[in-house]
Amino acid sequence: IASGWHTGSMLMRCLVDGFVSQYSMGSPGIDSVRWPHPVRGGDILRAKVTIASARRSRSKPDRGILVSSSSLFNQNDTLVMEMNSSSFILCRT
């Protein structure tokens, strides 16, 4: 089976390719992460991101703070990884 951190790198790749690459300004960290089921060789993975909250930074109004839950599923729609995190995102004027 794949290590949890290898699985995490796959989730991050999905996030960068489809979600944060143009507007991300970094992250203050991950609040929680878990791997409820293993990832096996040949699995096909897909990611889902749910935005829990979004607000403009009071101290730096050019960026926002996004709180999100990211989930990674295999080809059988089995949850293999779940992560809750915050991100700094460039805001529109």
Side-chain angles (χ1 to χ4, degrees):
I1 63 173
S3 82
W5 292 115
H6 183 85
T7 303
S9 72
M10 297 301 293
L11 175 60
M12 287 305 301
R13 183 62 196 225
C14 289
L15 294 176
V16 168
D17 285 349
F19 183 60
V20 298
S21 63
Q22 293 180 357
Y23 307 105
S24 177
M25 299 180 78
S27 171
I30 296 171
D31 298 318
S32 66
V33 64
R34 62 187 208 100
W35 297 275
H37 290 94
V39 171
R40 300 184 187 282
D43 279 357
I44 299 169
L45 304 176
R46 68 175 177 83
K48 176 184 173 186
V49 178
T50 303
I51 305 301
S53 67
R55 67 177 177 86
R56 191 175 293 269
S57 171
R58 288 184 289 277
S59 60
K60 296 182 179 178
D62 67 325
R63 63 197 71 181
I65 301 167
L66 214 62
V67 177
S68 63
S69 174
S70 302
S71 303
L72 196 64
F73 298 91
N74 68 13
Q75 68 279 358
N76 300 316
D77 287 328
T78 301
L79 180 66
V80 296
M81 183 177 174
E82 192 170 52
M83 177 176 77
N84 296 309
S85 61
S86 300
S87 304
F88 297 121
I89 301 292
L90 185 63
C91 288
R92 290 183 250 179
T93 54

